[in-house]
Amino acid sequence: MPEASEFDFIDWIRSLQSSSPNLTIPIGDDLAALQWEKDDLLLVGVDQVLDGVHFDSMLHSPRSIGKKVMNRNLSDCAAMACLPVAAVATVALQRGTPLDYAKELYLGLCAAGDVFNTPVVGGDTASWAGKLALSVTIFGKSAGVQPIRRSGARPGDSIYVTGPLGGSILSRHMEFVPRIKEARQLALEYQITSMIDLSDGLSRDLRHICLQSKVGALIQAGAIPIHPDAIKLSNRTGRPFLEHALHDGEDYELLFTTPDQPRIGTRIGQITHDQEILLEAKGKAYPLQAHGWEHLIS
Amino acid sequence: MPEASEFDFIDWIRSLQSSSPNLTIPIGDDLAALQWEKDDLLLVGVDQVLDGVHFDSMLHSPRSIGKKVMNRNLSDCAAMACLPVAAVATVALQRGTPLDYAKELYLGLCAAGDVFNTPVVGGDTASWAGKLALSVTIFGKSAGVQPIRRSGARPGDSIYVTGPLGGSILSRHMEFVPRIKEARQLALEYQITSMIDLSDGLSRDLRHICLQSKVGALIQAGAIPIHPDAIKLSNRTGRPFLEHALHDGEDYELLFTTPDQPRIGTRIGQITHDQEILLEAKGKAYPLQAHGWEHLIS
């Protein structure tokens, strides 16, 4: 198979390029150009995935790697309740990588973006003596919803998560559905005071909300929805499944606060005045330490 | 010195964060939010720099590495004659990198951005067992100028470059001023039919314009402005300095076409009907092969 040269790869990408209603200059120029509605805020963010940290190129298919980096960024859109519009990507390929492998990475990016009508409108590819690294920058629009920040939680708000937690390392960290639909519905129908996507782990991401909102939290251990993978992993590690649900990270569910009683998600606790984070189990409250995920795989 | 943890680094970045008039949500949330004027196109692009390809971490300071990746992106804005507005960045640090080194990278990004009022409004940092890699995604606005594409060159147009070429490897590839001011002035005062920044080398970048405009070109060898570094490098390599000027790449000057006679730049040739690219030297015309730069350092 031929080695992926930057120029061959770009020619191939161009040949696929589908148009997007807002895209006035597509891939192939120095920059892509998008039209923007005057009432829409432009939301921007970037996330990378690195071999040995966020995926393992010996284990995971290039298509799933491409999907993951796009989905991580789409999950950030969910966290702000914005609608993704377009993305650009970088790929740093190990020298000697076959062109077909590079194509699979790109098809993964596109497959994940397509689910939310988010085309890849630009990118940069290069080969090096280093390992595989990808990044995606995402552009979203507020689309009728004030972006939901991390800093708006107020004492008395309920704390919710959109799904069961823990054990994502068993497979879900590579294959998850960004909670964009849930986020938009929540933001349109309820008063959501703060929101974040669970990438670092519940204990750590809850801390982000509490620090930025200058509040505390009381979590009911028994209320946390436990993913079957947390139990499976617990059987292997010997650690309680609750610990996996609290600290594992890469759940990519949403953690949010609201004074309402939304029909989406599970209530796991309440925001408090005191700036400390407590876990209530068997009638007693303990300080909840943040042991979030930094380097999952390696 | 302490090792750079993602969280320490982000705390430090936040402490520096200056505001921008358009920035409604700064660094520290899931995404940053920018306000956008209704008449402005949003221009987006991304470029990465990789250790051993675009810089050498044993030779180049972290500040100059940070500057380079930002300036490469600003140069793409110049190529479209748009005004840069903001940027986001990724940094993949070798595990064990001191926090001070990471700070220098970031200060380099900011220093280059500041020259053109382009703040870094978001980013992602991680450590890995791999080598140093950075990316910047740039957001620009059309700001009263129709973006100048690669595809508008017409037979009879003159071909110009904004400055002398060749030998950038001696130092200029790490330290250059993106030609944003020149690009804006050209676009505002003259009819510029196509433009590109010289990153791959004159012979290759001219080919991009000709292919996308479906035209050819006749370049006068004697008219190409030669950088003193091309002559210096020629003395080392034994290759003619003209070859360095034609093929070296990373000049980051602008190559543009126009039916006018602008007061910026040097005329080096003319766009032709026939779809071939010729170099005229000593009264004879030869096909100009594209021998552009792909991997400069390694």
Side-chain angles (χ1 to χ4, degrees), chain B residues 126-291:
Chain B
S127 300
W128 69 333
K131 306 203 288 174
L132 179 62
L134 291 88
S135 80
V136 164
T137 302
I138 197 108
F139 316 102
K141 60 184 179 182
S142 45
V145 161
Q146 196 62 27
I148 298 174
R149 303 186 56 172
R150 299 176 176 178
S151 52
R154 292 169 312 188
D157 285 351
S158 293
I159 303 169
Y160 280 76
V161 289
T162 51
L165 309 182
S168 73
I169 184 71
L170 293 184
S171 67
R172 269 151 50 233
H173 75 107
M174 295 301 295
E175 298 277 353
F176 57 91
V177 178
R179 299 300 183 204
I180 290 173
K181 279 181 195 161
E182 292 80 354
R184 295 287 298 175
Q185 198 182 335
L186 284 166
L188 287 166
E189 295 181 13
Y190 304 99
Q191 189 190 344
I192 309 300
T193 50
S194 72
M195 190 151 65
I196 193 169
D197 67 320
L198 290 171
S199 53
D200 295 336
L202 174 60
S203 62
R204 198 157 215 162
D205 288 318
L206 176 60
R207 192 162 297 265
H208 291 315
I209 283 188
C210 287
L211 282 173
Q212 292 190 38
S213 299
K214 300 188 174 66
V215 294
L218 178 65
I219 299 293
Q220 262 78 44
I224 298 172
I226 307 293
H227 196 281
D229 285 343
I231 295 165
K232 208 186 284 183
L233 191 58
S234 162
N235 290 334
R236 289 197 206 164
T237 62
R239 289 167 49 206
F241 56 73
L242 180 64
E243 266 192 37
H244 286 291
L246 285 168
H247 307 304
D248 273 1
E250 291 219 81
D251 296 300
Y252 299 108
E253 298 291 347
L254 297 171
L255 173 70
F256 61 94
T257 59
T258 175
D260 297 336
Q261 296 182 314
R263 279 181 304 171
I264 294 172
T266 305
R267 187 184 185 284
I268 62 167
Q270 195 167 332
I271 294 294
T272 58
H273 256 292
D274 297 338
Q275 288 180 40
E276 59 182 341
I277 300 175
L278 300 173
L279 181 71
E280 192 176 314
K282 299 175 186 162
K284 283 191 181 171
Y286 310 86
L288 175 60
Q289 303 297 328
H291 294 298

Side-chain angles (χ1 to χ4, degrees), chain A residues 83-94:
Chain A
L83 274 186
V85 171
V88 297
T90 64
V91 183
L93 295 166
Q94 263 194 307

